Amino acid sequence: MEIERKFLLKSMPDTSGALRKEIEQGYLCSEPVVRIRKSNENYILTYKSKLGLSQNFAIQNEEVEMPLTKEAYEHLREKIDGKLVEKTRLVLPLPQGRKAELDIFKGRLEGLTFVEVEFESEEEAREFELPDWFGEDVSGNIAFSNAYLSEVENFVQWKERLKGGE
């Protein structure tokens, strides 16, 4: 089970000492989500489903991850719908043993940045005290899902769709 919230940034935190992951991911299917991801030199196939789960306060998914070989990843990469999402993920420690995953998008989505935090329960997600550098909660906004981002042409188009409410 994955329970997470997403936030915009008020300011950029100190990222010295952060764990750094270079990520590219693509989507073989968006409902349910079937995703491939390269994170540094790790290759993963992920299945996510929201079926029957509350989305009222946090993003909740049943999630299954399976390792892939590099060759299998490259084979599946040729079959993705849409475009690859490329980002640098900085993993920063938070109080209570939590981690902030700060995503800084690259390539066609350069300019987009947000942060995610995962929780053990919806109650923990509700009670989470935001660090000073966290901004607006965008957990319920589909425009911030990576599957959605894989379908937009570039950051400018994404911003226009966001303004237009698409």
Side-chain angles (χ1 to χ4, degrees), residues 106-117:
K106 302 187 307 187
R108 63 190 175 72
L109 294 171
E110 187 169 341
L112 178 58
T113 304
F114 57 76
V115 62
E116 300 178 358
V117 180

Side-chain angles (χ1 to χ4, degrees), residues 101-146:
E101 297 178 337
L102 174 60
D103 287 345
I104 303 167
F105 290 80
K106 302 187 307 187
R108 63 190 175 72
L109 294 171
E110 187 169 341
L112 178 58
T113 304
F114 57 76
V115 62
E116 300 178 358
V117 180
E118 291 193 11
F119 303 93
E120 295 296 317
S121 70
E122 190 172 4
E123 183 177 331
E124 285 182 11
R126 284 182 191 277
E127 295 172 357
F128 178 63
E129 292 186 31
L130 278 57
D132 293 342
W133 54 277
F134 278 41
E136 177 186 353
D137 185 334
V138 294
S139 301
N141 190 331
I142 190 76
F144 290 89
S145 80
N146 285 278

Side-chain angles (χ1 to χ4, degrees), residues 137-156:
D137 185 334
V138 294
S139 301
N141 190 331
I142 190 76
F144 290 89
S145 80
N146 285 278
Y148 180 90
L149 293 170
S150 74
E151 296 176 7
V152 297
E153 209 49 50
N154 54 44
F155 181 66
V156 172

Side-chain angles (χ1 to χ4, degrees), residues 48-60:
K48 292 184 176 193
S49 174
K50 297 180 184 312
L51 190 62
L53 297 173
S54 166
Q55 303 298 313
N56 292 337
F57 190 77
I59 303 163
Q60 296 190 56

Side-chain angles (χ1 to χ4, degrees), residues 9-31:
L9 302 179
K10 278 187 194 170
S11 60
M12 186 61 80
D14 176 9
T15 60
S16 58
L19 173 65
R20 181 184 192 97
K21 297 178 182 180
E22 295 301 326
I23 295 174
E24 67 176 34
Q25 60 192 38
Y27 293 81
L28 299 166
C29 183
S30 58
E31 193 57 46

